[in-house]
Amino acid sequence: MCGILALLGCSDDSQAKRVRVLELSRRLKHRGPDWSGIFQYGDFYLAHQRLAIIDPASGDQPLFNEDKKIVVTVNGEIYNHEKLRKLMPNHKFRTGSDCDVIAHLYEEYGENFVDMLDGVFSFVLLDTRDNSFLAARDAIGITPLYIGWGLDGSVWISSELKGLNDDCEHFEVFPPGHLYSSKNGGLRRWYNPTWFSEAIPSTPYDTLVLRRAFENAVIKRLMTDVPFGVLLSGGLDSSLVASVTARYLAGTKAAKQWGAQLHSFCVGLEGSPDLKAAKEVADFLGTVHHEFHFTVQDGIDAIEDVIYHIETYDVTTIRASTPMFLMSRKIKSLGVKMVISGEGADEIFGGYLYFHKAPNKEEFHTETCRKIKALHLYDCLRANKATSAWGLEARVPFLDKEFINVAMSIDPEWKMIKHDQGRIEKWILRKAFDDEEQPYLPKHILYRQKEQFSDGVGYSWIDGLKAHAAQHVTDRMMLNAAHIFPHNTPTTKEGYYYRMIFERFFPQNSASLTVPGGPSIACSTAKAIEWDASWSNNLDPSGRAAIGVHNSAYDNHLSSVANGNLDTPIINSVPKMVGVGVAAELTIRS
């Protein structure tokens, strides 16, 4: 992934303003360490920090059409770029970059070309013929994007908050599936799939249709000119990604360049559930497996860097981002620039453990719709920014547009969890890949219970975070929390601790408004808490908060811990229990 920054119509074309744009763009250099570029046309500035994945030699940005009247700065991957090039035989492309098609598509089709793109993207396009501009973000919001406004009437677009927060009077999240047109003066939604209306679908479940749709989503993401691998936690989603990748890698251009043996990566505390399961899957698939260990203290020491890069104070996002952030640094040190990951399946198939309590298929389906629509604020944010912090790109095949269309058109009755029929969470996905003749995965992995990433890396990770926060946030601070943080007031000491760090980096009111809030149980939306009356007394985003569902659910004692009610004896004992301050550095085993 790259970093983009645009300043549009600022009424200042001075050298000082150009220097300021370059300075702000450098704040995004971690996203694109391979090259920097800037284009200025009067008081319009388009800047780019490049992570070179496709055509590293000639794909530097900004990119242009033939006569250089149309200019674009892009963060993304356009998987159907070769097909799109064939639609425009009269156009001359300057590079082999997949993003090179965007300026030409605009020239050929106008603003309505965005839905033709199959991929993930955020871009800003400037048409110097009439000084109009267009900005757009991909369907689900896999690439991050923010929009801001200056007092001088300028519009700012940036991949991250840190690129515009100091220079805008107001800024906000650029919504997924939308475009901003200066000709129309506002945002409009270009992504309008059938499922978006939340109407209940009725298509019968077909295992082979679902399987093939996912395989196609993975195969198109093998488009790369640089070394890559897969993130493998040993859970269902990442294991299926690894399995399909390993199965179809041979014969691809990537295999010819970098070899047909897949590399896999996993992170966890010593002895964690994920490490054990991931090793078993790696052995089954024959991958070159890299296992990274971290301690609770390693994670705690990284929290400030994590919050700076992820740009959130959401508790569950920070819990899960920290191990991913640490792992990404190690992966990049091995020379890998792209990984394929398993985000999105839980939202599409109702994989979170709280879905066990969905009262009917209508509630089940509308909750999955709500979860997908909010992904850009949670797992997409984490997967993109935790990896991009180290110049690593993460691709997420479960969030492929066509795959989502297939999966979200299935009658949700098939997705419902029915213990009397042996149907656990994500049963239809598991069943689609349950092949006796050519197995994709070992049976017990294929039917392993859902484990949230922040839990799977080791249960003592979350417990250690809570204990650490309790040592730094007093009861008096919690009593005054609503006065200090009137928006999204933190209700736990852990939440308060993260919020203090966030506010130090991003003190503007606009910044706090970009982060979602509200109660949650095991990653649910606030609405789903109504499914079980007991949950309102045990609010925590960890999967272990799903008491009566998770095999290692919190007991009553840990339930109080989950809500930040730690007395002194517990605080004093936790570091000894989880090994805080014992082991120092990440270790790697290959």
Side-chain angles (χ1 to χ4, degrees):
M1 290 295 170
C2 304
I4 65 172
L5 177 68
L7 171 54
L8 306 156
C10 63
S11 303
D12 183 355
D13 59 0
S14 68
Q15 177 63 19
K17 180 60 73 172
R18 182 184 177 97
V19 169
R20 178 57 177 165
V21 172
L22 285 168
E23 177 186 344
L24 294 172
S25 179
R26 281 194 291 272
R27 295 183 183 181
L28 309 177
K29 189 176 286 187
H30 54 275
R31 298 186 60 85
D34 296 335
W35 195 252
S36 302
I38 188 171
F39 174 83
Q40 179 184 357
Y41 182 80
D43 55 4
F44 295 89
Y45 301 82
L46 271 62
H48 190 265
Q49 301 288 343
R50 187 185 186 205
L51 179 67
I53 303 292
I54 303 296
D55 187 20
S58 66
D60 295 336
Q61 296 193 36
L63 296 163
F64 305 86
N65 69 332
E66 292 92 337
D67 61 8
K68 294 194 172 185
K69 295 291 179 65
I70 300 170
V71 194
V72 64
T73 180
V74 191
N75 168 35
E77 302 290 343
I78 310 303
Y79 300 120
N80 65 335
H81 73 104
E82 292 181 351
K83 177 182 176 182
L84 293 172
R85 287 169 187 260
K86 292 176 183 177
L87 295 177
M88 300 177 286
N90 297 325
H91 287 253
K92 182 180 179 181
F93 297 91
R94 297 174 180 274
T95 78
S97 168
D98 53 296
C99 295
D100 206 355
V101 297
I102 292 176
H104 299 273
L105 286 169
Y106 172 80
E107 187 177 21
E108 191 75 21
Y109 298 99
E111 293 183 354
N112 295 323
F113 77 90
V114 180
D115 199 26
M116 299 170 67
L117 301 174
D118 182 7
V120 298
F121 52 83
S122 296
F123 67 80
V124 179
L125 182 149
L126 174 65
D127 187 342
T128 63
R129 297 171 300 186
D130 59 5
N131 285 355
S132 64
F133 62 87
L134 177 72
R137 189 179 184 189
D138 65 71
I140 305 300
I142 295 163
T143 60
L145 198 65
Y146 298 86
I147 182 170
W149 294 268
L151 285 174
D152 60 356
S154 59
V155 176
W156 294 69
I157 307 286
S158 176
S159 293
E160 296 187 1
L161 277 180
K162 58 184 68 69
L164 50 67
N165 63 309
D166 288 336
D167 289 59
C168 291
E169 182 69 15
H170 174 74
F171 51 89
E172 58 193 48
V173 174
F174 193 110
H178 281 69
L179 62 82
Y180 182 96
S181 170
S182 64
K183 293 177 180 177
N184 300 322
L187 288 157
R188 66 178 174 87
R189 186 151 57 89
W190 64 264
Y191 179 56
N192 297 286
T194 302
W195 66 266
F196 212 86
S197 69
E198 302 183 9
I200 310 303
S202 58
T203 303
Y205 168 51
D206 186 318
T207 57
L208 293 180
V209 169
L210 187 63
R211 180 196 294 184
R212 192 60 194 158
F214 182 65
E215 288 179 329
N216 287 338
V218 172
I219 290 167
K220 71 176 69 169
R221 282 160 179 79
L222 300 181
M223 180 185 80
T224 177
D225 292 330
V226 299
F228 79 103
V230 294
L231 302 186
L232 179 58
S233 70
L236 174 68
D237 309 335
S238 67
S239 296
L240 284 178
V241 168
S243 178
V244 174
T245 302
R247 184 167 294 208
Y248 290 99
L249 179 57
T252 64
K253 179 184 174 184
K256 292 174 184 175
Q257 284 184 288
W258 308 108
Q261 192 171 20
L262 183 64
H263 287 251
S264 56
F265 308 95
C266 184
V267 67
L269 301 177
E270 193 80 50
S272 69
D274 279 0
L275 291 179
K276 180 177 181 293
K279 179 67 166 61
E280 192 170 352
V281 174
D283 289 344
F284 179 84
L285 298 176
T287 69
V288 180
H289 191 56
H290 307 267
E291 186 176 286
F292 306 124
H293 297 170
F294 76 104
T295 66
V296 173
Q297 190 63 53
D298 289 328
I300 288 171
D301 291 342
I303 288 292
E304 293 205 7
D305 283 342
V306 169
I307 292 173
Y308 173 75
H309 280 287
I310 310 302
E311 302 180 322
T312 189
Y313 50 81
D314 176 67
V315 169
T316 189
T317 304
I318 293 169
R319 288 175 177 179
S321 294
T322 304
M324 197 170 195
F325 175 86
L326 295 171
M327 174 172 58
S328 297
R329 187 176 192 180
K330 282 292 188 180
I331 293 172
K332 187 61 184 291
S333 74
L334 298 175
V336 172
K337 295 179 73 174
M338 186 271 281
V339 290
I340 308 179
S341 190
E343 281 76 14
D346 291 316
E347 287 73 15
I348 294 169
F349 296 103
Y352 293 108
L353 296 183
Y354 73 89
F355 275 95
H356 282 247
K357 299 295 183 76
N360 52 58
K361 73 175 187 179
E362 291 80 14
E363 284 280 336
F364 191 109
H365 180 72
T366 54
E367 176 70 1
T368 60
C369 293
R370 288 191 293 262
K371 291 291 291 181
I372 296 171
K373 291 175 182 178
L375 263 170
H376 66 289
L377 300 171
Y378 298 100
D379 284 17
C380 288
L381 187 84
R382 166 181 58 78
N384 184 281
K385 291 183 179 178
T387 52
S388 293
W390 303 107
L392 180 69
E393 176 176 304
R395 296 181 178 176
V396 284
F398 280 110
L399 296 179
D400 179 81
K401 268 200 309 183
E402 183 54 38
F403 178 74
I404 293 176
N405 287 342
V406 170
M408 292 301 289
S409 68
I410 298 171
D411 187 335
E413 184 68 28
W414 288 99
K415 297 181 182 179
M416 290 284 286
I417 297 157
K418 298 187 177 183
H419 297 288
D420 59 332
Q421 298 178 27
R423 283 164 47 176
I424 62 173
E425 66 277 354
K426 292 184 287 194
W427 178 82
I428 65 170
L429 180 61
R430 301 174 196 271
K431 187 67 175 174
F433 288 91
D434 193 348
D435 189 326
E436 297 287 350
E437 294 182 4
Q438 293 181 300
Y440 284 79
L441 292 169
K443 274 277 204 224
H444 64 282
I445 296 292
L446 192 60
Y447 290 95
R448 182 189 176 198
Q449 185 181 57
K450 164 65 186 171
E451 195 77 85
Q452 285 168 215
F453 183 56
S454 52
D455 287 326
V457 297
Y459 295 147
S460 55
W461 166 233
I462 292 177
D463 299 338
L465 282 174
K466 291 173 181 173
H468 178 76
Q471 291 176 315
H472 290 81
V473 178
T474 66
D475 292 340
R476 184 182 297 274
M477 292 163 76
M478 291 302 296
L479 284 173
N480 295 321
H483 301 290
I484 303 298
F485 305 117
H487 175 72
N488 282 347
T489 303
T491 57
T492 66
K493 291 183 176 181
E494 185 185 7
Y496 194 107
Y497 179 67
Y498 299 154
R499 186 66 173 273
M500 287 193 298
I501 298 170
F502 178 88
E503 295 279 340
R504 197 163 73 243
F505 290 129
F506 308 105
Q508 301 86 353
N509 184 56
S510 289
S512 67
L513 296 175
T514 65
V515 181
S520 177
I521 183 79
C523 287
S524 74
T525 66
K527 179 69 176 174
I529 293 173
E530 299 172 6
W531 294 350
D532 189 319
S534 67
W535 283 348
S536 60
N537 299 318
N538 188 45
L539 297 176
D540 189 275
S542 167
R544 288 184 294 155
I547 295 173
V549 178
H550 195 290
N551 294 335
S552 300
Y554 292 132
D555 58 23
N556 290 334
H557 166 71
L558 285 178
S559 176
S560 67
V561 174
N563 286 286
N565 303 320
L566 292 98
D567 54 33
T568 303
I570 298 174
I571 296 172
N572 291 337
S573 68
V574 166
K576 296 176 184 176
M577 177 179 68
V578 299
V580 174
V582 179
E585 298 182 358
L586 279 160
T587 58
I588 173 172
R589 295 178 182 176
S590 301

